[in-house]
Amino acid sequence: MRWSSGSVRRGPDLALVALLAVVAGPAAADLAFVTCQNGDALSVLDLETGEETARWSVPGKPAGVAVAPDGTVYTVAPDAKTVRRHGADGSVYAETMLEGGPIGVALDVARSHLFVSDWYNARLWVLDAETLEGIAELPTGAAPAGMALSLDGRLLAAAERDADRISLYDAETLTLARTIPVGTRPFGLGFAPDGRLFVGNVGSNDVTVIDPGSGEVLATLPVGDRPYGLAFAAGRAFVTNQYAGTVSVIALEDLSTVTELAVGEYPEGIAATSDGRIAVANWFDNTLSLIDARSLEVVADIATADGPRAFGAFILQDPR
């Protein structure tokens, strides 16, 4: 393996102290950490007030993002080939350069592992989540993109766009469990609350539903044009459709299509909040849309820096 030297700044984590003050105080709320590729920035959004509370400089066109429960934020900047670990105030506490095409990111808090997909070299990097030093490399199919950890922490799923399949790895042993063919050009994916894996296929405009335990494909569901990311709330799956400017809504009970909601232009990253809303990053509109997952209404649009992507788990949920 070839790794660059990661730089680590230790000592009192003042960012974490600040975060604890935020979440413990009366103004606590979900925060969205939205990577904005065109602006070389990350927008921190208070989802209760609808305000941008901070804007961090993140050079290198950031796209991938993962937020830990303690407020640590990881960003992946593909143009700079750089992964960074930030404190809650944006300070960089560690960074490393990965020679290849880093794009997607997923965090395994229990094992202190950070997974980063290499778009160009058909592999996943496994990094130490604190130091960002390399631990292992996992082989994949061509052009791995989105990743997700199962809710029980046992499986890591990776979407392999140019191989038209997903791979499942044992998160403890870092061994390949199985590969499963899906639709054309899978990109984003996510585990539903009941454990099923949903995969968005940008080439075939559908979602593959998988039983990860058996590897069985349970259903293939048509959605809008270029499905990108998935999130779950109120017994429903929500799928961003890039080219359509919409979010498809699917009932988890019977996998029927509920509706398709108009959001901003070129929606991409999507995640659930603690209070039953769905946050959607609209790349071309420079906004984050908030959808009420029960009423299926767009209840807010919050301005961001230029080019929000938010590819990953970008919400820090209020623990109250």
Side-chain angles (χ1 to χ4, degrees):
M1 294 183 297
R2 182 179 177 185
W3 306 94
S4 69
S5 298
S7 61
V8 181
R9 182 154 59 92
R10 299 185 182 274
D13 192 342
L14 299 180
L16 180 56
V17 172
L19 170 73
L20 293 174
V22 170
V23 300
D30 285 7
L31 299 176
F33 295 85
V34 180
T35 44
C36 298
Q37 194 166 50
N38 301 351
D40 287 319
L42 183 147
S43 287
V44 182
L45 308 178
D46 184 315
L47 299 187
E48 183 173 298
T49 65
E51 297 178 351
E52 183 184 49
T53 60
R55 183 175 294 186
W56 305 346
S57 174
V58 184
K61 309 302 179 187
V65 60
V67 180
D70 69 356
T72 301
V73 178
Y74 299 88
T75 60
V76 179
D79 280 20
K81 302 182 179 182
T82 299
V83 179
R84 299 179 176 94
R85 178 172 68 86
H86 306 260
D89 65 351
S91 298
V92 177
Y93 284 88
E95 65 178 20
T96 190
M97 180 178 289
L98 301 175
E99 288 299 333
I103 178 169
V105 61
L107 176 64
D108 183 348
V109 174
R111 302 173 183 88
S112 193
H113 286 167
L114 188 74
F115 299 95
V116 180
S117 55
D118 184 351
W119 181 261
Y120 296 135
N121 296 296
R123 62 182 170 179
L124 307 179
W125 287 285
V126 187
L127 310 181
D128 180 283
E130 182 178 3
T131 66
L132 301 184
E133 294 177 354
I135 295 171
E137 294 179 3
L138 310 181
T140 71
M147 293 176 292
L149 196 70
S150 62
L151 299 184
D152 61 8
R154 295 176 56 193
L155 293 173
L156 174 74
E160 299 163 1
R161 195 198 70 162
D162 290 354
D164 296 339
R165 72 179 198 187
I166 64 101
S167 286
L168 291 171
Y169 300 86
D170 184 305
E172 179 65 36
T173 64
L174 300 179
T175 56
L176 179 66
R178 58 172 49 93
T179 61
I180 304 167
V182 292
T184 305
R185 296 188 175 182
F187 198 86
L189 39 66
F191 287 92
D194 61 10
R196 288 176 295 177
L197 179 63
F198 286 62
V199 183
N201 305 303
V202 299
S204 49
N205 296 333
D206 52 30
V207 169
T208 303
V209 184
I210 296 168
D211 179 340
S214 67
E216 178 185 2
V217 172
L218 303 174
T220 300
L221 312 173
V223 290
D225 199 5
R226 300 277 291 194
Y228 181 92
L230 296 106
F232 306 91
R236 294 160 172 165
F238 295 80
V239 186
T240 50
N241 302 310
Q242 289 175 315
Y243 286 8
T246 62
V247 172
S248 290
V249 184
I250 299 165
L252 292 179
E253 183 177 10
D254 59 7
L255 299 181
S256 62
T257 299
V258 177
T259 190
E260 192 169 320
L261 304 172
V263 287
E265 188 176 2
Y266 223 85
E268 293 205 344
I270 183 169
T273 71
S274 64
D275 61 356
R277 292 181 293 175
I278 295 291
V280 179
N282 303 303
W283 187 15
F284 287 4
D285 273 1
N286 297 340
T287 60
L288 186 81
S289 294
L290 291 177
I291 300 168
D292 186 307
R294 294 175 179 81
S295 69
L296 300 180
E297 297 175 332
V298 176
V299 295
D301 289 295
I302 305 172
T304 69
D306 190 17
R309 304 297 299 274
F311 186 38
F314 63 91
I315 301 288
L316 175 62
Q317 294 192 349
D318 176 3
R320 291 181 299 179

